[in-house]
Amino acid sequence: LDYPLFGETGVDRFDTIVLRPHFNDGWGWGGASNDPLFIRDQWFRDTQAAMGHDSARGNLAHLYVNGLYWGLYNPSERPDDSFAAEIQGGEKEEYDVVNHNGLHKGSINAYNTMINITESVESAGSAAAKNQAYQQLQGNLPDGSDNPTGEAYLDVTNYIDYMILNHYGGNNDWPNRNWYSNRRQGLESEGFRFYAWDSEISLALSS
């Protein structure tokens, strides 16, 4: 799709648009009780953007199919490989995408390496060893300077704010599911970035 669907602040080329129906935050699900807002998921994604990070954009639309009214929907981007390429540059084939179901696109190797490094931080005996692993996550040498031959595996600032967002919003359907992450491959990478996704059971709506 070549169209500025989300206005001047977004990109104007899309491989995928998800027509989200607010299922867990609308009248179609009994669990929403008397508290459907139709905005919880988009609130999370808008708030992540307001915190200074890339985030899947979306808006609200009344959907008609062949003249038949289907209700209020939330067209949105999916934070996959094509999204990452449009936002961060390069080609979509250069990106690894992992979500709650496992590998979505690319390779799982860098993600597994990131997990192994974080586990080494937990098991490291000394503060120096923990710091070395922490710096390695970011593609740095132990002193915090850039390692020209080391890849970055985690965008730490993104991850911190992502965690703050989900805890502040009381996301009850996370972290075992409903998340996306992507990372550009190679030495140009800034590490995996995590994205709010499907955060409908939140903001005081319990499951």
Side-chain angles (χ1 to χ4, degrees), residues 78-81 97-99 101-106 108 180-181:
R78 177 185 290 146
D80 56 13
D81 52 334
V97 182
V98 181
N99 63 19
N101 291 320
L103 180 65
H104 181 74
K105 292 287 185 178
I108 196 66
Y180 264 85
S181 64

Side-chain angles (χ1 to χ4, degrees), residues 33-94:
S33 187
N34 296 318
D35 194 27
L37 297 180
F38 290 85
I39 62 168
R40 285 180 168 91
D41 185 42
Q42 189 60 50
W43 181 89
F44 269 79
R45 289 183 272 123
D46 286 348
T47 302
Q48 185 172 37
M51 296 172 81
H53 300 283
D54 297 333
S55 184
R57 289 164 289 258
N59 54 27
L60 297 175
H62 292 285
L63 178 65
Y64 292 82
V65 179
N66 295 330
L68 180 64
Y69 182 59
W70 279 58
L72 184 66
Y73 276 67
N74 175 212
S76 61
E77 297 174 282
R78 177 185 290 146
D80 56 13
D81 52 334
S82 60
F83 165 89
E86 288 293 333
I87 299 297
Q88 302 177 42
E91 302 297 327
K92 62 183 181 181
E93 291 78 13
E94 300 176 49

Side-chain angles (χ1 to χ4, degrees), residues 86-203:
E86 288 293 333
I87 299 297
Q88 302 177 42
E91 302 297 327
K92 62 183 181 181
E93 291 78 13
E94 300 176 49
Y95 286 86
D96 298 329
V97 182
V98 181
N99 63 19
H100 51 275
N101 291 320
L103 180 65
H104 181 74
K105 292 287 185 178
S107 169
I108 196 66
N109 292 339
Y111 188 86
N112 287 339
T113 298
M114 178 184 70
I115 297 300
N116 291 336
I117 294 172
T118 58
E119 290 176 346
S120 72
V121 172
E122 295 178 0
S123 61
S126 67
K130 292 180 179 180
N131 178 69
Q132 180 176 348
Y134 174 68
Q135 295 298 338
Q136 184 184 359
L137 277 174
Q138 301 170 80
N140 294 334
L141 296 170
D143 63 1
S145 61
D146 178 63
N147 181 357
T149 62
E151 296 187 31
Y153 294 99
L154 178 66
D155 183 326
V156 172
T157 301
N158 162 270
Y159 189 66
I160 290 172
D161 286 347
Y162 170 80
M163 295 295 288
I164 290 173
L165 170 63
N166 281 281
H167 284 286
Y168 177 82
N171 190 351
N172 288 340
D173 213 14
W174 166 93
N176 293 329
R177 54 186 175 182
N178 298 338
W179 56 269
Y180 264 85
S181 64
N182 62 51
R183 171 190 180 272
R184 193 170 187 175
Q185 301 163 355
L187 295 176
E188 294 184 11
S189 176
E190 297 180 358
F192 275 100
R193 294 173 178 169
F194 286 76
Y195 297 86
W197 184 254
D198 199 8
S199 311
E200 294 177 338
I201 303 178
S202 60
L203 297 171

